[in-house]
Amino acid sequence: MPELTLNFYPGPSKVYDQVKDYLALAYDEGILGIQHRSDKFVEISKNTVALLKKKLNIPQDYYVFFTSSATECWEILTQSLVKQKSFHIYNGTFGQKWLEYARKIRPESSGVAFDLQAEINVADLQVASGTDLICITQNETSNGTQIKENTILNLFNRFPDPLIAVDATSSMAGINLKYIKADIWYASVQKCFGLPAGLAVLVCSPRTIFRAKQINERRYYNSLVLMYEKMLNFQTTHTPNVLNIFLLNKVLEQRPLIKQIDKDLTQRAQQLYDFFQEQITANLSLLVENPDVRSYTVLSIKGDPKMLEEVKKNAARQGITLGNGYGAWAKNTFRIANFPAIVDEEYDVLRDFFLKFYA
Ligand SMILES: *Cc1c(COP(=O)(O)O)cnc(C)c1O
């Protein structure tokens, strides 16, 4: 056995312990060399889509696609669903990056930044006519904030024409997302799914597919209509990450329903927030002061950069990996993942560490 090593990095993050056995199983069952046009692949793919819908509460009439990453989803959505421009509402690095990618392809795309401590003010939002896609990041992994279910619903109600696209990379499979309240949701699997990187799940409403067909953009291997046509038979436009789809299948089989996972995670998030707020004093504080916008899956702790270096090094000596800060918060925060693959006992060890050195 390796020495105690705990990984709280919010992506890539700890994979489920069972992944070790599933990897061996994939080899033994000959999955690694199967053809992606074979019946065997189609069966795995079809079964995985069914499991995703069942375990994550995705509406039956929504479409599920496999891509390689969340970043690829940014491109797919812009290429295939944005004729003129998208509009991005963001408060952190991932949301901003999405806008930057969109602009490279559709230069008229624009965005508005909102305050880290505040909710999106939907009532006062100005969205130009001709906007094809409104883009939000449900869980901003870079700073540990999240957008509430109700805000997404308000957006949907106030702007019924553009499609609403949601980056849920660090919350899908952790939080019980209400898919019906937006058109497009996506996540790569190296966060809440507890799997190795190299695969993402893209979920689309019926009206998204309707729009994609209307626009009928077919220029790229990952054009959404081409993906849709192949997925009618549970196939992909290119040779996909078969191993990771297999692992996703196995992990989903073993996982409880999302309702249960959501309950456990949100409770654990609350305990962690309370812990850092009440028991840890030594110049460490929660980055997100407003409890209403705190993420359930990624905690961000703020402190003096020099001190944070010491905290991370000290943690590493104890076999604990903390997540570095990201983007604008790279130096003065560290992050802690609250993902389903990490078990409660690991957070006990984490708490003991902070109590011992920083209480
Ligand atoms: C990690 C992350 C991404 C990027 O994911 P890739 O799989 O590396 O493309 C995008 N958005 C958010 C919110 C993320 O957390």
Side-chain angles (χ1 to χ4, degrees), residues 69-71 74 94 137 139 141 167 169-170 188 190-191:
S69 66
T71 305
W74 291 340
F94 285 105
T137 302
N139 199 75
T141 322
D167 182 340
T169 302
S170 52
S188 35
Q190 72 272 19
K191 308 210 172 151

Side-chain angles (χ1 to χ4, degrees), residues 47 126 129 175 189 234 274 299-300 327 330:
N47 193 250
Q126 302 292 328
S129 64
I175 298 306
V189 300
F234 299 95
D274 289 347
L299 282 80
S300 219

